[in-house]
């Protein structure tokens, strides 16, 4: 095969294998993620048949990590996290610490170093966002209190793992590994100062992202959205995600993952965040698949034969150890038993961050290759068994509810009510924002019935394209003979169109200024504000662009303009005939 088609071959075969095996996994009622990992195993150097370019696959996987973390940041909600902070923050941190200690203990049995134990334990302590969300969606629990707590718990875990990705390179030498060139000249400094400077750079980057980002990114997205080009909008979203990720690594020395996460957080402040998420989702999904495929390529299946007890030990730590820790933490925090079982089952697996941490640990010389193989084996098995684990916890719920109904109903009831009230407030705020938006759309249609001819996406676009303008009584809004620069829609007030034959009054819901835009000629009349007027103005460029994409609307406007012209001509002829008579 020609060298220049190596990238094409790697991507093409990855997508084909992932699609086939992902579908097969779904038919077996397993997460498609299992199929993607199996596709990578079949394409890897440890199995016969086609062997993909692992170097290229690694770079594509890095793109997958960036887009994956961008998606996490884009859906990050500070209000949701604050609502469940009483259980998510102490629960996630407590479980990470305890699971990491169990991992260190397991590594001591393997004869590994403390550094290997920390990386191994951290890798097993964090659950997969993809797998959990899929499980919650299948059981319709995403918006339930248990689901919201689980998502908040995962956000805290993800933030903790992002911090671990930043600190591990700085601590590598102390833990028995080797340093990498990510400190930008800080390698000769004392360890404490190196860590302090590393954290300072992270804080500086976060401050810039939080304070400057919301002022620049939403404005930029709005400007691009006003062009009406969907491909340009999607390109801008990806440019922001990849540009901030790369810039953060090049300038501040932080990870691509952290940069991409903050890019998503910044973009989530824009009113266009839902559109940004929808437009970037296909590419995000595609590169996420390549990420899981590339992870599978690194897995050596012989570890299942060479170290079966180690694999069983790691799997037991994930399913039993983490499950019991999660349930006990929820009980100690005085939350309902059902919530504890739901979280214990849903979080009894590992995924994306485990692979990233394992890869970083190997590159730093902290984790042996055998450790990465164990993590990959445990991940594949835990994800595969997760539906069975969730089914078991659901059965346990029914048993405990029937066995101890009083305890089931009363334990954690007060905390449950308090959490329910906070989540209800957030839901009500979200519904109010949506109601206000729908009301605005409804008012647009009621005031200008003309726009009922286009779909909701086009109406959303109009709200972006419109520029508000006001005029006091007596102000000349349009001057005869001027070049047509926009079409005016009257929201409130009234205007008079001054023709040679007389004045025509236009009320709210009417529009004017379209003739010069349609014909390319000059203004044929003066337009004077009679009352205090509010207009929505569609500028010439936006008018031409919008009408070109909606020819039916242009035809209606053109027909109305022709009728208006005919009426003006007939009126002039009638007045001339009256003068002659």
């Amino acid at each position: 095969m020609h060298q220049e088609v190596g990238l094409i071959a790697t991507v093409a075969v990855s997508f084909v294998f992932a699609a086939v095996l992902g579908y097969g996994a779904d038919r077996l009622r397993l997460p498609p993620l299992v199929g993607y990992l199996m596709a990578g195993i079949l394409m890897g150097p440890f199995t016969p048949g086609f062997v993909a370019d692992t170097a290229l696959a690694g770079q594509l996987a890095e793109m997958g990590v960036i887009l994956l973390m961008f998606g996490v940041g884009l859906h990050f909600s500070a209000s949701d996290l604050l609502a469940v902070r009483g259980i998510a923050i102490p629960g996630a941190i407590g479980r990470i610490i305890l699971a990491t200690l169990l991992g260190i203990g397991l590594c001591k049995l393997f004869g590994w170093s403390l550094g290997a134990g920390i990386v191994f334990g951290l890798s097993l302590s964090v659950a997969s966002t993809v797998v959990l969300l899929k499980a919650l969606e299948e059981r319709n629990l995403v918006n339930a209190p248990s689901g919201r707590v689980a998502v908040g718990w995962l956000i805290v875990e993800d933030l903790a793992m992002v911090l671990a990705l930043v600190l591990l390179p700085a601590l590598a030498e102390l833990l028995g590994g080797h340093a990498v060139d990510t400190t930008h000249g800080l390698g000769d400094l004392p360890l404490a100062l190196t860590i302090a400077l590393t954290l300072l750079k992270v804080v500086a980057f976060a401050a810039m992202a939080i304070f400057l980002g919301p002022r620049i990114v939403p404005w930029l997205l709005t400007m691009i959205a006003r062009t009406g080009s969907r491909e340009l909008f999607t390109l801008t979203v990806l440019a922001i995600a990849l540009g901030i990720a790369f810039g953060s690594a090049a300038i501040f020395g932080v990870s691509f993952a952290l940069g991409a996460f903050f890019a998503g957080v910044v973009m989530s402040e824009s009113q266009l965040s839902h559109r940004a998420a929808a437009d970037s989702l296909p590419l995000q999904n595609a590169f996420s698949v390549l990420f899981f495929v590339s992870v599978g390529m690194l897995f050596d299946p012989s570890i299942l034969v060479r170290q079966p007890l180690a694999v069983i030990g790691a799997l037991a730590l994930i399913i039993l150890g983490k499950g019991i820790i999660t349930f006990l933490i929820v009980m100690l925090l005085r939350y309902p038993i059902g919530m504890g079982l739901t979280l214990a089952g849903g979080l009894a697996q590992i995924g994306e961050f485990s692979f990233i941490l394992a890869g970083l640990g190997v590159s730093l010389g902290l984790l042996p290759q055998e450790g990465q193989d164990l993590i990959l084996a445990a991940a594949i098995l835990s994800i595969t068994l997760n539906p069975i684990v969730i089914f078991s916890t659901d059965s346990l719920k029914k048993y405990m509810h029937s066995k101890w109904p009083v305890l089931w109903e009363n334990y954690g009831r007060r905390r449950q009510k308090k959490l329910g009230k906070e989540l209800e407030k957030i839901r009500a705020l979200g519904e109010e924002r949506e109601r206000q938006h729908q009301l605005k759309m409804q008012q647009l249609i009621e005031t200008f019935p003309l726009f009922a001819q286009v779909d909701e996406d086009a109406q959303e676009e109009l709200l972006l394209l419109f520029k508000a303008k006001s005029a006091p009584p007596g102000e000349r809004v349009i001057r005869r003979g001027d070049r047509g620069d926009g079409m005016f829609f009257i929201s409130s007030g009234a205007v008079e169109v001054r023709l040679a034959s007389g004045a025509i009054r236009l009320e709210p819901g009417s529009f004017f200024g379209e003739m010069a835009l349609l014909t390319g000629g000059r203004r044929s009349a003066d337009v004077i504000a009679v009352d205090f007027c509010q207009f929505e103005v569609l500028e010439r460029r936006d008018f031409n662009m919008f009408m070109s994409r909606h020819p039916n609307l242009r035809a209606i406007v053109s027909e109305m303009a022709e009728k208006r012209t005919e009426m003006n001509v007939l009126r002039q002829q009638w007045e001339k005939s009256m003068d002659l008579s």
Side-chain angles (χ1 to χ4, degrees), residues 293-342:
V293 170
S294 69
V295 168
M297 292 181 193
L298 302 175
F299 175 60
D300 183 2
S302 65
I303 190 73
L304 299 174
V305 178
R306 290 186 287 107
Q307 298 285 345
L309 294 180
V311 173
I312 293 173
L315 187 62
L317 192 157
I318 294 170
I319 295 177
L320 295 178
K322 285 173 55 178
I324 293 172
I325 289 171
T326 303
F327 180 76
L328 291 178
I329 287 175
V330 175
M331 293 299 97
L332 288 174
L333 294 173
R334 307 291 295 179
Y335 281 90
I337 299 173
M339 180 180 291
L341 291 173
T342 298

Side-chain angles (χ1 to χ4, degrees), residues 6 75 162 217 249 263 355 420 500 523 581:
H75 294 93
V162 167
V217 172
F355 308 146
R523 300 293 193 188
S581 65

Side-chain angles (χ1 to χ4, degrees), residues 120-164:
F120 188 78
L122 284 173
S123 299
L124 300 188
S125 69
V126 60
S128 167
T129 304
V130 177
V131 175
L132 178 69
L133 288 178
K134 178 70 173 176
L136 293 175
E137 287 170 359
E138 289 179 349
R139 298 157 67 206
N140 199 27
L141 289 176
V142 174
N143 293 318
S146 296
R148 303 286 280 276
V149 169
V151 172
W153 191 301
L154 276 179
I155 289 173
V156 176
E157 284 190 348
D158 289 349
L159 291 175
M161 292 304 107
V162 167
L163 183 61

Side-chain angles (χ1 to χ4, degrees), residues 224-275:
I224 297 299
R226 292 186 75 251
T227 66
S229 173
R230 293 193 68 89
E231 62 270 18
L232 184 58
F233 183 83
T234 303
L235 179 63
T236 303
V237 170
L238 295 176
I240 292 172
L242 298 175
I244 292 179
F246 179 77
S248 64
I251 299 173
F252 295 94
V254 302
S255 66
F256 287 130
L258 181 63
F261 174 78
F262 274 103
V265 171
V266 168
M267 199 172 292
S268 69
E269 298 297 322
S270 170
Q271 293 180 346
L272 297 166
S273 60
H274 293 296
R275 181 176 168 185

Side-chain angles (χ1 to χ4, degrees), residues 332-454:
L332 288 174
L333 294 173
R334 307 291 295 179
Y335 281 90
I337 299 173
M339 180 180 291
L341 291 173
T342 298
L343 293 175
L347 297 174
Q349 34 77 16
I350 60 174
E352 308 88 55
F353 267 113
S354 305
F355 308 146
I356 299 170
L357 280 168
L360 179 62
V362 172
S363 68
L364 294 174
L366 292 172
L367 186 69
Q369 183 61 48
E370 184 181 3
Q372 187 179 37
D373 291 338
L374 280 177
I375 291 170
L376 293 173
I380 294 172
L381 292 174
S382 67
I383 292 170
T384 304
L385 295 175
N386 192 246
I388 300 175
V389 174
I390 291 176
F391 176 79
S392 301
T393 55
D394 287 342
S395 300
L396 188 57
K397 282 185 197 177
K398 295 176 182 178
Y399 174 78
M400 294 183 70
H401 190 196
S402 61
K403 188 73 173 178
W404 301 288
V406 177
L407 178 64
W408 180 275
E409 294 293 337
N410 294 327
Y411 192 88
R413 187 174 181 181
R414 184 173 61 85
R415 292 288 181 90
Q416 174 82 345
K417 285 185 176 180
K418 183 179 178 181
L419 176 62
K421 288 180 180 179
E422 292 187 17
L423 292 175
E424 181 62 27
K425 288 179 183 178
I426 294 173
R427 187 186 65 82
L429 288 174
E431 289 181 353
E432 178 61 21
R433 284 195 298 269
E434 180 63 23
R435 191 184 70 81
Q436 292 292 338
H437 178 71
Q438 292 298 327
L439 182 61
K440 194 173 182 179
M441 299 289 290
Q442 184 180 350
Q443 288 175 344
L444 177 70
I445 301 302
E446 290 176 353
T447 307
F448 308 110
L450 173 71
F451 297 135
Q453 305 297 324
V454 297

Side-chain angles (χ1 to χ4, degrees), residues 60-124:
L60 294 171
E62 194 69 52
M63 286 282 290
V65 172
I66 292 173
L67 292 174
L68 193 66
M69 289 308 302
F70 174 68
V72 172
L74 200 56
H75 294 93
F76 178 81
S77 172
S79 58
D80 281 354
L81 181 57
L82 289 175
V84 299
R85 63 189 182 278
I87 180 173
I89 295 176
I93 295 175
R95 195 180 75 155
I96 288 173
I97 293 172
L98 294 175
T100 302
L101 291 175
L102 288 178
I104 292 173
L106 193 60
C107 287
K108 287 295 182 183
L109 296 178
F110 301 155
W112 295 351
S113 66
L114 176 63
I118 291 175
V119 175
F120 188 78
L122 284 173
S123 299
L124 300 188

